Amino acid sequence: MLGQKSKYYLYAALALHLLAAFFSVGFFNHDEQREVLQLVGHKLGNYDGSYLSFQYHSAMRSWFHPALYLWTSQFLNLFSDFNPFIHAFFYRLLSGGFGILSLWVLYKTFQEELQEKFKEELFFLFSAFLWFIPFLHVRTSNENLGASFFIFALFFFKKSEKWIDALLAGLFFAMCFALRFQMAFMMAPVGLWFLIIKRYPIKNIFVMASSFALGIGAMVLIDSALYGHWTFTPYNYFNINIVQKYAASFGVSPWYEYFILAYKKGGQPYGLITTLCFIYFWIRFPKHVLTWASLGFVIAHSFVGHKELRFLFPLLFFLPAILPQIIATLHWENQKAWKIIFLIVNVPLVTYYSLVPCSNLMKYYKYLYDKESIVSKVYVAHPFEDFTKFYLKNDIQYPMFQANEEEVNRILKAEKESYFFAMNIDERDLILKNTECQSDFSLFPKWIYDISFVKKMRTFRSWTLIHCKNLN
């Protein structure tokens, strides 16, 4: 039975996940659009395959993740016409639902370790108020869902030695693998932990391996059906990314790069503190299953040439279970100072990131979608790689122009009607000084651009859609 404080924290976590699903629109990384939502829109018949990436045409990724959203949309289409923004909300709600469920399952997995009241309360405190948890859980990313399904699998694997639990663990491990192949770096050391440390019965390992194989077989059927030909996506992914070195074309880093990325891009002091927490946990609890899972995951990723910090995001969802153990060993359970600092810092951050868009560009796409007239060409002064066909009702071209007065005048004279997307104050002022042009959409209200110190920031992100008409 949960204590009263734990219940309040759990309710807060649920509320923050719901808020994030509603308000935190958009994407953290382009792969959420390019490799997931783009596929969904294509299968719904909204556009042809020419908009899809090289990875789609190479059948490098499993369809299981996009299929979850595809089936969601097909169900929603039974009740109303397709609206990408409404459907994307339900995708975030589904992802966030798996996320909040995984927190509860994580608690049940380690309930014996967290049975002391202060550890239980800390688990739910961190689940609710670590600022990045609701934000990441509602993302339509495979790192997020892969972590949730790994936790589901770990629960059944660790629950008991009954064959049914082993069977369910294998199925969830298969779904975890289908969501993100690199989760094998976490599954393999956990399998070794069960053999070496827990001495899991061999017959149960056989049951789990069989159900895992069954799940992979189902993945092959789903992938082949949705790609339109027989394929084995894990092989394609390994062959193209590793053998043909496609991943290396995005950059190669030394093995220690993740420690540098955690410091530079981890949002200090969080990156440094999180790194130190994991290192301390690994040293203090070398036989813990989460040590084997997380350390093995980091070591394996360190030897893969291409590195991005988001590849390690699945580790962050272990923190609610890890931090109470660390605090107990440091005897900080009765010290209030760290908890006050934690709440002062995290409550504003988790509130902010649950209430603001993940990507402000979504306001631009929503405006275009709702706009009665069709915008088919928008001039830009900088390369604008658009991965958001899912949200558009028509094709939009983004030709480049030189941001100078002569070039703008040439376009205005040559075309009866034209649109420009000004990305900074200089471009905005350059175009709007023409009487034929007016702001059609702006990321911020006009008065923001009139503030004196903003005017001095010539590279200030303006993101203004400007509509010009040739009146001659």
Side-chain angles (χ1 to χ4, degrees):
M1 187 90 176
L2 288 184
Q4 200 62 37
K5 275 190 179 180
S6 298
K7 288 180 181 179
Y8 288 148
Y9 294 146
L10 181 59
Y11 298 151
L14 180 60
L16 287 165
H17 277 71
L18 289 171
L19 289 172
F22 188 81
F23 290 106
S24 186
V25 298
F27 51 90
F28 177 79
N29 183 272
H30 283 134
D31 274 5
E32 297 174 44
Q33 305 292 324
R34 181 175 49 199
E35 309 301 344
V36 181
L37 298 197
Q38 295 284 70
L39 278 65
V40 176
H42 168 59
K43 280 300 176 184
L44 290 172
N46 297 337
Y47 41 83
D48 62 40
S50 63
Y51 292 96
L52 303 180
S53 70
F54 163 79
Q55 294 191 34
Y56 170 81
H57 292 291
S58 301
M60 287 173 57
R61 293 175 182 254
S62 173
W63 254 101
F64 178 58
H65 184 187
L68 292 175
Y69 302 144
L70 174 64
W71 297 330
T72 300
S73 280
Q74 289 172 337
F75 175 75
L76 293 173
N77 284 343
L78 297 175
F79 305 97
S80 63
D81 293 336
F82 176 77
N83 182 305
F85 297 92
I86 293 175
H87 284 221
F89 161 69
F90 281 99
Y91 303 161
R92 293 191 300 274
L93 192 63
L94 179 65
S95 298
F98 282 128
I100 195 72
L101 178 61
S102 74
L103 290 174
W104 176 253
V105 171
L106 184 67
Y107 167 71
K108 299 299 289 185
T109 303
F110 299 103
Q111 189 170 8
E112 288 186 10
E113 299 175 18
L114 300 167
Q115 62 184 343
E116 293 178 75
K117 185 179 179 181
F118 83 90
K119 287 185 180 180
E120 175 197 286
E121 290 178 355
L122 288 179
F123 176 91
F124 289 103
L125 172 73
F126 293 128
S127 296
F129 297 119
L130 276 172
W131 68 266
F132 44 77
I133 286 184
F135 173 82
L136 291 178
H137 266 161
V138 302
R139 303 274 67 81
T140 55
S141 69
N142 49 35
E143 292 91 359
N144 156 37
L145 279 180
S148 294
F149 277 73
F150 175 84
I151 291 170
F152 300 154
L154 184 62
F155 168 75
F156 287 108
F157 208 0
K158 195 171 181 291
K159 180 183 176 185
S160 71
E161 295 182 358
K162 294 179 180 178
W163 70 268
I164 187 64
D165 291 321
L167 183 144
L168 290 171
L171 290 176
F172 276 109
F173 275 136
M175 288 185 276
C176 170
F177 180 73
L179 286 162
R180 183 161 179 80
F181 299 142
Q182 292 94 323
M183 292 302 291
F185 296 155
M186 193 175 284
M187 292 187 286
V190 165
L192 290 175
W193 182 89
F194 274 91
L195 281 173
I196 298 170
I197 304 297
K198 188 165 183 177
R199 300 186 182 279
Y200 203 63
I202 296 297
K203 64 178 182 179
N204 283 19
I205 292 289
F206 176 77
V207 171
M208 192 204 68
S210 299
S211 64
F212 178 83
L214 183 65
I216 296 302
M219 179 197 75
V220 171
L221 292 176
I222 292 171
D223 291 347
S224 299
L226 291 172
Y227 276 119
H229 57 84
W230 286 102
T231 188
F232 188 57
T233 50
Y235 169 78
N236 300 339
Y237 189 89
F238 178 81
N239 180 48
I240 294 172
N241 266 335
I242 305 302
V243 178
Q244 299 181 29
K245 299 183 179 180
Y246 172 72
S249 67
F250 296 99
V252 175
S253 305
W255 66 268
Y256 53 82
E257 182 69 13
Y258 279 118
F259 296 98
I260 297 173
L261 289 174
Y263 179 77
K264 287 184 175 180
K265 297 184 178 181
Q268 295 311 322
Y270 284 96
L272 180 60
I273 292 173
T274 301
T275 302
L276 293 176
C277 284
F278 272 103
I279 292 173
Y280 179 86
F281 187 81
W282 296 337
I283 295 171
R284 186 65 177 77
F285 300 96
K287 293 184 178 181
H288 199 285
V289 65
L290 291 183
T291 293
W292 286 57
S294 56
L295 182 57
F297 193 66
V298 171
I299 291 173
H301 269 290
S302 296
F303 286 97
V304 176
H306 179 59
K307 297 175 177 64
E308 296 180 39
L309 190 58
R310 65 186 174 98
F311 295 164
L312 298 188
F313 281 179
L315 298 179
L316 297 177
F317 304 117
F318 295 156
L319 286 174
I322 286 174
L323 292 176
Q325 306 290 358
I326 294 175
I327 289 167
T329 60
L330 296 174
H331 305 292
W332 286 0
E333 58 267 29
N334 295 319
Q335 295 187 16
K336 295 182 179 180
W338 71 264
K339 190 181 294 186
I340 292 171
I341 294 171
F342 172 82
L343 291 172
I344 289 174
V345 173
N346 278 270
V347 170
L349 284 175
V350 74
T351 304
Y352 175 80
Y353 281 103
S354 297
L355 294 177
V356 302
C358 178
S359 171
N360 280 319
L361 267 177
M362 298 310 299
K363 296 178 181 178
Y364 167 65
Y365 293 119
K366 183 71 165 62
Y367 175 81
L368 290 176
Y369 188 84
D370 293 337
K371 186 178 174 65
E372 290 187 8
S373 58
I374 298 296
V375 177
S376 58
K377 182 167 66 173
V378 179
Y379 286 96
V380 291
H382 308 278
F384 187 82
E385 194 170 7
D386 193 357
F387 302 118
T388 52
K389 177 63 179 169
F390 176 81
Y391 292 104
L392 301 178
K393 61 184 177 183
N394 62 279
D395 296 340
I396 300 179
Q397 298 176 347
Y398 288 93
M400 296 276 291
F401 79 101
Q402 295 293 324
N404 59 60
E405 191 170 346
E406 289 183 7
E407 178 76 351
V408 172
N409 289 334
R410 182 191 66 78
I411 294 171
L412 295 181
K413 290 178 181 178
E415 300 184 13
K416 185 176 180 181
E417 185 178 47
S418 53
Y419 286 89
F420 296 84
F421 192 59
M423 298 186 187
N424 57 51
I425 296 287
D426 279 339
E427 295 172 17
R428 184 177 183 275
D429 290 349
L430 170 68
I431 301 166
L432 283 178
K433 72 179 182 179
N434 293 278
T435 57
E436 301 97 328
C437 302
Q438 62 180 10
S439 175
D440 204 37
F441 161 85
S442 186
L443 183 60
F444 303 107
K446 183 180 181 300
W447 62 267
I448 293 287
Y449 303 108
D450 294 333
I451 299 174
S452 58
F453 79 86
V454 172
K455 287 184 176 181
K456 294 176 182 178
M457 299 167 60
R458 306 311 298 174
T459 58
F460 179 80
R461 182 179 289 176
S462 69
W463 285 358
T464 303
L465 181 67
I466 300 172
H467 184 201
C468 301
K469 289 185 178 181
N470 187 340
L471 303 177
N472 298 324

